[in-house]
Amino acid sequence: VSQVANLTLVSSACDMVSTAYASTKESHPYIRSVCDAAEKGVKSVTEATASCVQPVLTTLEPHVAAASEYASKGLDKLGEKLPLIQKPVEQIISDTKELVSSRVADAKDAVSS
């Protein structure tokens, strides 16, 4: 999970969502109260679940470690085949706009000639 979270694409997307969420909460008092209540609920459920799940996780630790290693290798291969995931969202959007703009310009040139 931490390896996925550290991917540039994922972390920049999370940052964008977090910024939008904070901005929305700040701008709209009714939404803020709903979000605050939801956050408290999630925190309570997380705390309650953590204590119940801990014994199970301890038992499954060797299996979790094996799955984690397998997933890590898969993410490494994915990173090699899709270098896009190493770029921030802003750069991907910018590159896409540039590519589309270039293709549209090429199409206009072809039509006009």
Side-chain angles (χ1 to χ4, degrees):
V1 171
S2 62
Q3 190 174 356
V4 170
N6 287 330
L7 291 172
T8 306
L9 175 64
V10 174
S11 64
S12 68
C14 288
D15 290 344
M16 288 178 71
V17 170
S18 178
T19 300
Y21 177 77
S23 174
T24 301
K25 273 181 62 173
E26 191 175 306
S27 302
H28 305 285
Y30 296 116
I31 292 176
R32 181 183 318 125
S33 61
V34 171
C35 290
D36 289 343
E39 289 170 15
K40 287 178 185 173
V42 168
K43 184 178 180 182
S44 298
V45 169
T46 302
E47 290 170 354
T49 304
S51 62
C52 297
V53 172
Q54 189 58 47
V56 175
L57 288 178
T58 302
T59 305
L60 295 175
E61 191 171 346
H63 304 292
V64 171
S68 179
E69 184 177 336
Y70 181 74
S72 179
K73 289 177 183 177
L75 282 171
D76 290 343
K77 287 183 181 179
L78 183 64
E80 291 170 10
K81 293 184 180 192
L82 290 172
L84 181 73
I85 63 175
Q86 300 300 334
K87 295 181 179 181
V89 172
E90 296 85 0
Q91 184 177 357
I92 294 169
I93 291 170
S94 174
D95 291 351
T96 302
K97 285 180 180 178
E98 188 177 309
L99 177 65
V100 169
S101 178
S102 171
R103 298 294 182 195
V104 168
D106 290 348
K108 283 182 181 178
D109 291 344
V111 169
S112 64
S113 64

